[in-house]
């Protein structure tokens, strides 16, 4: 069986990559970009830095900075109207996963109209929107190299998964220097998100030799450097490894899909507004323990790639070490339980049935080596509390 690999047409990787935006725009034939970002990127001066670089080449760029964490149908609407009513020929998506996801949705809706719900999975979006140049500022989501966006419908508390080549950025500028100012909490949450992408891509039923190579490389880069970047945000070597690891993990899961952790993570985020990387981190040890019996050798490979098990360790020993490491990582990175996060106990337990159904409906659990029933999903949710 063959594997279709879809990547951005241009990938510029390394320190200072974001300063090459004028050359990238010229190579794409674009002259009138709209920068889609958030208020923090404006405050940090990252948006104005890009405007200044463009101004040096006689190009101007307007800024839309009203994206929100965990984007919603309502939050992207103003961006859709701005993009539709301006004479923009491309979008520069600047920020973490939320601004990039918002930009992907805005690029499609501005060009083709309709509502976000019209584009949700199982529809595969093959239409091209406005071209997107993605400039990630976190080492986590991998959104700059994926054909996926997730937009919450605030009316139904559903995180809609939208998939297709139409959402793939045409260019990705992967500049680790933009992550040096990230706070420890965001470093931790996005870093565990990236690690989850790599692990899930590797154990996914849709894994291929190609996605395996990206996933294993990502784990080798992320696992030894996540704690370093968390404890010392100015550690350039750790930041560079995390950034490339995040991108490779994005390539891996874009081609192999995510699995049960992500399927269960989205409902937690939608119902209780837990940041995506944090809900993944809450779930990763429990879901891994649930899944190991169906893919013991694959999980042992993960343990070895992460450097927590040796080639001499048996599969069983390697997997024990993997679970120990995932729990220790959550402890060191101060990942809270749902209770510690401040979720109301009654509300949490009242929503379990709905959350389990939404997790299954996303399709992601079907890629898991061990496909759970709704009851088994509820059991895992209960364990988290």
């Amino acid at each position: 069986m063959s594997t279709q690999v879809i990547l951005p047409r241009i990938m510029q990787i390394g320190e200072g990559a974001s300063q090459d935006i004028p050359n990238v725009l010229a190579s794409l034939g674009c002259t009138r970009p709209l920068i889609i970002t958030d208020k923090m990127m404006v405050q940090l001066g990252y948006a104005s830095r890009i405007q200044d670089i463009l101004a040096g080449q006689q190009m101007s760029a307007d800024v839309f900075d009203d994206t929100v964490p965990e984007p919603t149908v309502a939050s992207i609407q103003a961006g859709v109207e701005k993009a539709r009513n301006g004479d923009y020929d491309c979008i520069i998506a600047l920020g973490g996963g939320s601004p990039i996801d918002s930009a992907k949705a805005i690029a499609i809706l501005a060009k083709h109209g309709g509502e976000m719900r019209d584009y949700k999975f199982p529809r595969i979006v093959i239409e091209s929107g406005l071209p997107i140049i993605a400039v990630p500022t976190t080492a986590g989501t991998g959104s700059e190299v994926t054909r996926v966006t997730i937009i919450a419908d605030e009316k139904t508390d559903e995180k809609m998964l939208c998939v297709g080549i139409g959402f793939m950025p045409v260019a990705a500028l992967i500049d680790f220097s933009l992550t040096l100012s990230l706070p420890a909490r965001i470093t931790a949450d996005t870093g565990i998100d990236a690690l989850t992408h790599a692990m899930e891509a590797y154990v996914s039923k849709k894994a291929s030799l190609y996605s395996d190579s990206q996933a294993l490389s990502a784990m080798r880069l992320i696992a030894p450097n996540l704690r370093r970047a968390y404890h010392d945000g100015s550690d350039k070597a750790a930041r560079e490894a995390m950034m490339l690891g995040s991108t490779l993990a994005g390539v891996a899961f874009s081609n192999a899909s995510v699995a049960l952790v992500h399927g269960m993570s989205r409902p937690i985020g939608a119902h209780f507004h837990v940041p995506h990387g944090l809900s993944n981190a809450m779930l990763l040890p429990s879901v891994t323990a649930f899944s190991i019996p169906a893919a013991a050798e694959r999980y042992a490979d993960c343990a070895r790639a992460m450097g927590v098990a040796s080639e001499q360790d048996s599969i069983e020993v390697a997997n024990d070490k993997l679970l120990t490491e995932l729990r220790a990582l959550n402890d060191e990175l101060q990942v809270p339980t749902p209770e510690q996060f401040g979720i109301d106990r009654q509300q949490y337990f009242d929503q379990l049935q709905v959350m389990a159904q939404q997790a299954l409906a996303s399709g992601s659990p079907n890629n898991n080596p061990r496909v759970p029933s709704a009851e088994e999903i509820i059991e895992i949710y209960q364990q988290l509390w």
Side-chain angles (χ1 to χ4, degrees):
M1 197 173 79
S2 66
T3 303
Q4 184 184 58
V5 177
I6 299 170
L7 294 167
R9 195 184 313 168
I10 298 168
M11 291 173 70
Q12 192 96 13
I13 301 170
E15 188 168 12
S18 58
Q19 292 170 29
D20 286 317
I21 279 187
N23 294 333
V24 170
L25 290 180
S27 70
L28 296 169
C30 296
T31 58
R32 184 78 179 107
L34 171 64
I35 298 172
I36 291 181
T37 188
D38 59 26
K39 297 277 193 286
M40 183 54 68
M41 292 298 106
V42 172
Q43 284 173 23
L44 289 171
Y46 289 174
S48 60
R49 196 184 303 173
I50 287 175
Q51 286 177 304
D52 292 345
I53 292 166
L54 291 170
Q57 301 296 318
Q58 285 70 56
M59 276 190 268
S60 66
D62 294 335
V63 174
F64 174 79
D65 65 0
D66 284 335
T67 66
V68 299
E70 316 296 321
T72 65
V73 169
S75 77
I76 61 171
Q77 199 50 48
V80 172
E81 283 157 21
K82 186 173 181 79
R84 190 179 283 157
N85 297 330
D87 57 339
Y88 306 110
D89 58 8
C90 65
I91 288 171
I92 296 171
L94 171 70
S98 296
I100 297 176
D101 274 5
S102 298
K104 289 177 176 181
I106 290 166
I108 289 287
L109 290 173
K111 187 165 179 183
H112 298 289
E115 297 178 2
M116 203 67 232
R117 183 159 288 281
D118 302 334
Y119 297 92
K120 72 175 258 196
F121 185 80
R123 177 175 174 180
I124 304 298
V125 179
I126 56 172
E127 303 89 334
S128 296
L130 288 170
I132 295 170
I133 297 90
V135 186
T137 60
T138 64
T141 67
S143 191
E144 70 276 6
V145 289
T146 69
R147 47 186 144 171
V148 176
T149 187
I150 296 170
I151 306 294
D153 183 341
E154 54 273 78
K155 290 178 183 168
T156 61
D157 276 340
E158 178 194 1
K159 281 200 169 186
M160 296 183 290
L161 181 64
C162 305
V163 180
I165 191 173
F167 294 115
M168 177 64 76
V170 295
L173 309 186
I174 298 148
D175 184 349
F176 75 85
S177 65
L178 299 181
T179 68
L180 292 170
S181 60
L182 274 185
R185 181 73 265 146
I186 296 175
T187 298
D189 296 349
T190 54
I192 297 181
D193 190 20
L195 182 62
T196 305
H197 290 153
M199 287 181 63
E200 292 214 291
Y202 191 72
V203 301
S204 168
K205 288 183 175 178
K206 294 181 179 175
S208 66
L209 197 57
Y210 175 81
S211 62
D212 284 353
S213 67
Q214 311 295 316
L216 290 169
S217 294
M219 285 183 259
R220 289 185 189 110
L221 287 163
I222 294 165
N225 289 291
L226 178 48
R227 285 178 174 84
R228 282 176 57 185
Y230 173 74
H231 290 299
D232 178 9
S234 64
D235 185 334
K236 280 191 167 188
R239 290 292 197 187
E240 184 170 25
M242 289 297 299
M243 194 69 163
L244 181 57
S246 167
T247 296
L248 293 177
V251 172
F253 92 80
S254 189
N255 288 283
S257 296
V258 286
L260 182 55
V261 174
H262 276 75
M264 291 181 65
S265 177
R266 293 185 202 107
I268 295 176
H271 289 275
F272 302 109
H273 310 293
V274 178
H276 172 68
L278 195 55
S279 53
N280 276 351
M282 290 175 178
L283 284 156
L284 185 57
S286 297
V287 170
T288 301
F290 170 83
S291 306
I292 280 173
E297 202 164 328
R298 288 240 137 194
Y299 279 106
D301 289 344
C302 293
R304 294 184 183 110
M306 289 165 61
V308 298
S310 71
E311 293 299 328
Q312 286 71 44
D313 288 327
S314 68
I315 289 172
E316 190 177 345
V317 168
N319 284 326
D320 284 344
K321 288 182 174 179
L322 176 63
L323 290 173
T324 300
E325 165 65 5
L326 295 179
R327 293 176 186 127
L329 193 60
N330 276 7
D331 286 345
E332 189 165 339
L333 273 49
Q334 299 183 329
V335 173
T337 62
E339 181 181 27
Q340 290 164 342
F341 185 79
I343 295 171
D344 179 80
R345 187 181 196 282
Q346 191 66 46
Q347 280 185 304
Y348 182 78
F349 281 86
D350 284 350
Q351 290 296 331
L352 294 186
Q353 194 72 48
V354 173
M355 285 161 57
Q357 293 304 327
Q358 288 178 340
L360 287 170
S362 74
S364 300
N366 289 332
N367 304 323
N368 208 59
R370 183 179 173 190
V371 179
S373 64
E375 290 70 30
E376 286 169 323
I377 288 178
I378 288 170
E379 276 177 37
I380 296 171
Y381 278 138
Q382 288 170 336
Q383 284 170 25
L384 298 192
W385 184 258

